[in-house]
Amino acid sequence: MRIILAGFGTVGQALAQVLHQDADRIVKAYGFRPQVTTIVDSQGSCSDDAGLDISLALKTKKDYGTVAKYPRKGRRNSDSAHIISNSEAEVVVETTPTNFKDAEPGLSNIKTALANGKHVVTTNKGPLALAMPALLELANHRKRQLRFSGTVGGGTPFLDFAAKCMPGERIIRVRGILNGTTNYILTRMETASLTFERALAEAQKKGYAEKDPTNDVEGLDTAAKIVIIANWVLKKRYSLRNLDITGITKVTQQKLKQAKTSNAKVKLIGRIEESSASIAPEQVPTADPICVPDTLNALTFTTEHAGDITLIGPGAGGERTASAIVRDLVSIRQEYAA
Amino acid sequence: MKFGGTSLANAPRMKNAARIILRYSPKNKIVVVASAVGETTDQLIQIAELAKKGNLQQARKLLSKIQASHLKIARMVAGRGETRELVSRLDQLNSELEQTVEGIAHLRELTSRSRDYLLSFGERLSTPILAATMSAMGLRSRALTGAEAGITTDDNFGEAKPLTEISYHQVHQRLDPLWGRRIIPVVTGFIAATVDGSITTLGRGGSDYTATLLAAALGADEIWIWTDVDGLMTADPRIVKNAIPLPYISFGEALELSYFGAKMMHPRALQPAGQKKIPVRIKNSSRPARSGTLVSASESSNGGKVVKAVSIIRDVGIVTVSGSGMMGAPGVAAKVFQTLGSNNVNVMMISQGSSEATISSVVANREVDRAVRALQLALMGQGYVDRIVAEKDACIIAVVGSGMKGTPGVAARIFTAVAKRKLNVRMVAQGSSEYNVSFVVSHKDGPEAVRAIHEEFNLGR
Ligand SMILES: NC(=O)c1ccc[n+]([C@@H]2O[C@H](COP(=O)([O-])OP(=O)(O)OC[C@H]3O[C@@H](n4cnc5c(N)ncnc54)[C@H](OP(=O)(O)O)[C@@H]3O)[C@@H](O)[C@H]2O)c1
């Protein structure tokens, strides 16, 4: 299996690491050897049809900041969609930065890959948030797989749980906490009586929040995950513009105290109901299983016959996300054993 | 707004279309969909057939006719400064068209892919002309192919199926920015492209389908289909003198009427509008002030009338399979329809005798012989079918109206009215929907039957 890595940051490098370390185990257990033949970052790319030397790529990235400096096979060309359409690789792993305005370059990368008959694994939520029904239709039309386990819950398999463990059951509603950064901020605001700004600064220092925290604190990241769950699990054709989204920037100490008096905490909750979906800070009773602290994620599926089922687990993180990508690669290989 | 071929057939009509757009543009965001000029598509089909036979000379003759007529319109409609640019654009398209025809003639082969490519020139020529006409009146416009507007299909050339989610997504991406700059997109009807950009055509439903797809993608408030009639009529005005345009009908009724041969959009084209509940207005481009027919999701606005319209499909025949042994033998009906289906015979109506000893199917005249032969091969000589007979030259009369559902006695009124004029009903459809009653009479009785029903239900003015 030949792989193009579009994006070589935290997640892309973690994946390279895992593929490198676990190569022998993967061949033994699943009968295929994932070979990275192209890597693209924002400044350039490197390609080798016989498979790149992963440790060399990682070292080059570390030393020079771009794979363009990869010996002999590096170039200053970072036009990922163009590179994808001219490559013979079977799979594209898309890990470029998320943006919810036009979802580029991820959206073009995924469209080009599918249109050219390649399977896609993405951790980038932007393209799914804006165009998931369209991308699923394209994948289906081209008879290729579009996988995205790493977009929701990182290592905690919320998506696979719902899709694979509950066949025959009807899921009526979904609600939960899907963003570790905001959950951490709200937890610290409550336990240490910090203002929103102070809690955010702390989260940034600890590496939980990005320098530009907009996507997290404005609720967009949670919304994107809700879009993905709604399309994949509940077969609703939603995209970001169908949702009501409120972030946590207006959550005050007063609101937290108010919640406390009724034995509840304020949490950023994403929910999918029968005919709507929304994201907003809500009071959640402390006894509710989704009332989890710190960077944890939690999701309750309300089913027709089996009642409420809640999954709790760690959310994003480079290595966890890389493990979700490997899961996706394995299932692509299994469905297309050839 | 979609403009059909007749509404763009010559320079004055082209200008008329642009004037209509101009008139509605200040208060509305408009996307224009254009068919090919006049009979261009039919001519292109002829050219394709000629080229396939290697008759390049005849093909070229017809080609230059198309080229001349487009250039003539272009010179008459374009603004002073823009004629040259438009003409050079048309010249370029024309030389591409010539090359395509030559290619087909050399290979003596016409694949469905190259046929679609060839047909696409009709709309690709008409849209820049309409766009230039609009510019000459001071409207900012841009001619786009269906593919450029974002419509993507599967690769079933000749009758491609849109990939709706991708198309909806892309249409937004491509057209929103134009609107943002107050540019009116003028999109080729009928043609689109596959994921990798090969040109396809939408087949049945044509340009109307393009219009409803774009409207569904953009969440339009209304779809206006500009054509050469005042809307959908209560009956064919050539048969019934006092037939009038229907002000309102529902999507359900429109589907029935289009199935039963009324001059109406194809059901495929109605689908995106019906799904998103976007009203469709059918209007006459030479009399734009008239309100035309509004097709909408509402079923209530039928003005208290049980029956809305009566339509006729001519040139059909009845094929009847009979045999006393059929009564006990299960699955004969299934076998009949399976046989007809696998021989590409389209069954428009069926009826089974109450004794189960006969099954009648109505098919197009030209398919009658094929149907009989196929049925004989499949069913005779096995003991239960002893006769297969065909009657040609009949017509189907379909009486349509959503008010018929739940109103008792409508069928009785219909058949009494027909019987009073001594017309012989050959066959009555079974399982007609709750929106229609349909039956078959001989070719010569058809018009009189239409008039009888039109009068009985007071459909005229
Ligand atoms: N980190 C997580 O825990 C996690 C978890 C789940 C999902 N995700 C998602 O996964 C994606 C990657 O996350 P990350 O943490 O790895 O981000 P990151 O560290 O910022 O890496 C992004 C990578 O994309 C490259 N890139 C940027 N613009 C590009 C362009 N125009 N063409 C080609 N490459 C371009 C960057 O190049 P340079 O190296 O040259 O800057 C970088 O290598 C994001 O969409 C993120 O939301 C992340």
Side-chain angles (χ1 to χ4, degrees):
Chain A
M1 180 190 275
R2 289 168 295 181
I3 298 170
I4 300 174
L5 288 186
F8 201 47
T10 312
V11 174
Q13 292 176 43
L15 174 68
Q17 205 58 269
V18 172
L19 290 180
H20 186 53
Q21 278 163 15
D22 291 4
D24 292 339
R25 186 177 65 82
I26 293 174
V27 178
K28 251 197 213 136
Y30 304 109
F32 76 111
R33 184 178 289 279
Q35 258 184 344
V36 178
T37 52
T38 299
I39 301 176
V40 193
D41 64 24
S42 71
Q43 296 172 62
S45 58
C46 56
S47 279
D48 187 342
D49 285 341
L52 290 161
D53 177 342
I54 300 256
S55 4
L56 184 54
L58 284 165
K59 186 172 176 323
T60 309
K61 181 76 181 166
K62 193 162 159 237
D63 293 348
Y64 301 100
T66 170
V67 292
K69 293 275 193 180
Y70 187 97
R72 292 195 320 282
K73 317 226 147 130
R75 291 157 169 226
R76 279 288 164 196
N77 174 9
S78 70
D79 182 348
S80 38
H82 188 253
I83 292 170
I84 288 168
S85 64
N86 286 307
S87 157
E88 286 182 3
E90 289 87 17
V91 180
V92 172
V93 175
E94 160 53 46
T95 67
T96 62
T98 298
N99 104 51
F100 293 118
K101 290 201 183 66
D102 61 6
E104 294 300 350
L107 183 55
S108 295
N109 286 346
I110 296 177
K111 267 175 42 177
T112 309
L114 292 172
N116 283 278
K118 302 183 194 309
H119 305 286
V120 173
V121 176
T122 178
T123 62
N124 179 354
K125 292 171 280 282
L128 299 178
L130 299 194
M132 186 150 175
L135 294 175
L136 286 174
E137 185 183 48
L138 183 57
N140 188 33
H141 170 62
R142 278 289 146 131
K143 303 196 170 52
R144 290 296 179 273
Q145 292 199 39
L146 168 60
R147 303 230 146 224
F148 36 81
S149 303
T151 54
V152 182
T156 313
F158 291 124
L159 291 172
D160 282 351
F161 171 77
K164 289 192 186 151
C165 300
M166 311 195 67
E169 181 55 275
R170 193 167 84 88
I171 297 170
I172 302 167
R173 256 191 300 147
V174 176
R175 67 188 263 277
I177 297 170
L178 290 164
N179 179 277
T181 310
T182 46
N183 205 42
Y184 180 82
I185 294 172
L186 290 172
T187 304
R188 292 296 293 157
M189 286 174 71
E190 190 229 349
T191 54
S193 297
L194 302 179
T195 60
F196 167 75
E197 288 75 17
R198 288 282 304 279
L200 170 60
E202 191 187 295
Q204 280 169 323
K205 219 163 79 195
K206 290 205 158 185
Y208 292 152
E210 288 168 49
K211 231 190 288 156
D212 176 1
T214 318
N215 287 345
D216 287 327
V217 300
E218 295 293 354
L220 291 170
D221 177 76
T222 303
K225 291 166 178 166
I226 284 291
V227 167
I228 293 167
I229 296 170
N231 275 280
W232 189 240
V233 179
L234 292 128
K235 310 290 175 219
K236 293 182 191 289
R237 290 178 184 172
Y238 283 166
S239 70
L240 216 49
R241 59 190 147 117
N242 302 113
L243 271 56
D244 261 339
I245 307 169
T246 315
I248 61 163
T249 53
K250 303 224 165 70
V251 175
T252 57
Q253 278 300 330
Q254 192 200 347
K255 285 189 184 145
L256 296 176
K257 292 205 179 92
Q258 219 174 327
K260 207 165 200 167
T261 57
S262 42
N263 265 332
K265 294 184 196 302
V266 174
K267 296 289 182 190
L268 182 62
I269 299 295
R271 54 165 74 240
I272 309 169
E273 304 283 342
E274 200 75 43
S275 60
S276 69
S278 60
I279 288 82
E282 287 180 22
Q283 284 193 12
V284 177
T286 44
D288 191 317
I290 64 164
C291 196
V292 293
D294 298 325
T295 58
L296 281 176
N297 288 11
L299 200 63
T300 298
F301 296 95
T302 300
T303 68
E304 191 168 34
H305 304 295
D308 282 4
I309 301 172
T310 302
L311 244 58
I312 300 174
E319 204 179 327
R320 295 193 195 111
T321 306
S323 105
I325 298 176
V326 175
R327 259 192 302 171
D328 285 348
L329 292 174
V330 168
S331 57
I332 287 175
R333 151 71 199 182
Q334 282 172 342
E335 228 162 283
Y336 289 83
Chain B
M1 289 188 178
K2 175 250 169 178
F3 291 88
T6 44
S7 301
L8 304 170
N10 51 39
R13 294 208 193 150
M14 193 67 86
K15 284 186 182 164
N16 178 54
R19 234 175 276 123
I20 289 174
I21 299 163
L22 176 65
R23 161 145 136 212
Y24 291 100
S25 65
K27 289 195 180 147
N28 301 281
K29 283 208 243 172
I30 300 174
V31 173
V32 176
V33 174
S35 297
V37 166
E39 308 289 313
T40 309
T41 305
D42 291 337
Q43 291 168 336
L44 287 169
I45 292 173
Q46 275 179 44
I47 290 175
E49 292 304 323
L50 288 168
K52 188 172 110 182
K53 293 183 193 130
N55 191 345
L56 199 50
Q57 211 186 348
Q58 284 296 320
R60 282 222 178 92
K61 234 188 202 164
L62 213 53
L63 258 186
S64 44
K65 229 169 105 184
I66 291 182
Q67 294 168 342
S69 65
H70 281 83
L71 284 173
K72 184 174 161 207
I73 300 176
R75 293 216 163 82
M76 290 168 76
V77 295
R80 238 181 245 143
E82 288 167 65
T83 312
R84 197 194 283 150
E85 197 188 317
L86 177 60
V87 167
S88 93
R89 184 159 177 184
L90 296 182
D91 281 345
Q92 199 193 327
L93 281 165
N94 280 329
S95 73
E96 260 177 68
L97 173 56
E98 261 171 55
Q99 282 166 22
T100 310
V101 173
E102 276 162 21
I104 295 168
H106 288 318
L107 294 172
R108 305 244 172 144
E109 178 181 88
L110 182 64
T111 60
S112 47
R113 179 192 287 257
S114 45
R115 191 172 185 272
D116 276 3
Y117 183 68
L118 182 67
L119 290 189
S120 76
F121 283 95
E123 278 78 7
R124 283 159 72 197
L125 286 164
S126 71
T127 42
I129 301 179
L130 180 56
T133 318
M134 291 162 63
S135 304
M137 294 184 190
L139 282 172
R140 300 183 67 180
S141 64
R142 162 95 44 91
L144 300 170
T145 63
E148 286 165 341
I151 301 179
T152 301
T153 68
D154 65 9
D155 26 30
N156 183 16
F157 293 93
E159 180 137 355
K161 189 165 164 268
L163 301 172
T164 46
E165 293 298 337
I166 302 169
S167 301
Y168 290 177
H169 175 74
Q170 293 181 153
V171 167
H172 256 293
Q173 261 185 343
R174 311 268 167 85
L175 299 192
D176 282 350
L178 292 184
W179 268 351
R181 287 156 53 205
R182 309 203 120 264
I183 295 172
I184 300 178
V186 180
V187 182
T188 60
F190 187 48
I191 65 177
T194 63
V195 172
D196 20 63
S198 307
I199 286 188
T200 53
T201 64
L202 298 177
R204 292 168 301 148
S207 298
D208 292 341
Y209 201 6
T210 305
T212 55
L213 281 168
L214 293 176
L218 297 166
D221 295 325
E222 287 195 9
I223 299 160
W224 288 14
I225 305 289
W226 292 100
T227 171
D228 53 356
V229 292
D230 280 338
L232 209 55
M233 307 292 283
T234 51
D236 184 339
R238 285 166 302 186
I239 298 176
V240 183
K241 289 270 140 42
N242 66 342
I244 54 169
L246 286 159
Y248 302 103
I249 56 166
S250 69
F251 283 115
E253 292 166 329
L255 279 176
E256 296 289 345
L257 282 171
S258 90
Y259 182 78
F260 285 108
K263 195 168 179 202
M264 176 58 207
M265 291 164 82
H266 191 272
R268 240 161 91 98
L270 270 174
Q271 201 193 11
Q275 231 164 33
K276 301 240 165 168
K277 297 198 166 51
I278 304 173
V280 180
R281 214 178 262 286
I282 300 161
K283 284 170 74 85
N284 190 339
S285 58
S286 9
R287 289 192 280 231
R290 303 209 171 170
S291 53
T293 299
L294 184 68
V295 186
S296 75
S298 140
E299 299 215 337
S300 54
S301 46
N302 66 346
K305 287 205 166 145
V306 194
V307 165
K308 289 261 182 76
V310 47
S311 75
I312 179 168
I313 309 185
R314 296 175 208 253
D315 300 323
V316 300
I318 307 177
V319 178
T320 302
V321 175
S322 58
S324 43
M326 278 167 58
M327 260 185 280
V332 180
K335 190 87 191 276
V336 167
F337 299 125
Q338 202 188 343
T339 306
L340 294 176
S342 58
N343 283 280
N344 284 325
V345 175
N346 178 29
V347 177
M348 297 186 246
M349 223 174 105
I350 57 167
S351 157
Q352 191 166 24
S354 53
S355 64
E356 289 183 39
T358 63
I359 296 171
S360 302
S361 317
V362 178
V363 306
N365 260 344
R366 67 187 136 72
E367 292 178 351
V368 165
D369 295 332
R370 180 149 34 103
V372 171
R373 272 198 306 275
L375 290 171
Q376 280 170 343
L377 272 179
L379 298 170
M380 297 290 277
Q382 299 179 19
Y384 45 83
V385 171
D386 16 82
R387 256 158 52 90
I388 296 175
V389 291
E391 253 183 276
K392 286 193 194 172
D393 296 323
C395 46
I396 301 178
I397 309 291
V399 189
V400 174
S402 59
M404 281 159 50
K405 148 173 83 177
T407 311
V410 180
R413 271 177 77 187
I414 292 172
F415 292 116
T416 312
V418 174
K420 262 196 213 145
R421 304 209 184 181
K422 308 227 170 347
L423 307 173
N424 184 11
V425 174
R426 298 293 176 79
M427 174 178 159
V428 179
Q430 250 161 24
S432 353
S433 86
E434 46 196 6
Y435 291 141
N436 102 72
V437 169
S438 41
F439 58 92
V440 179
V441 297
S442 73
H443 181 75
K444 76 170 177 20
D445 286 351
E448 193 58 23
V450 171
R451 284 190 284 268
I453 291 160
H454 203 266
E455 195 166 298
E456 169 67 26
F457 291 94
N458 266 324
L459 301 182
R461 71 186 107 229

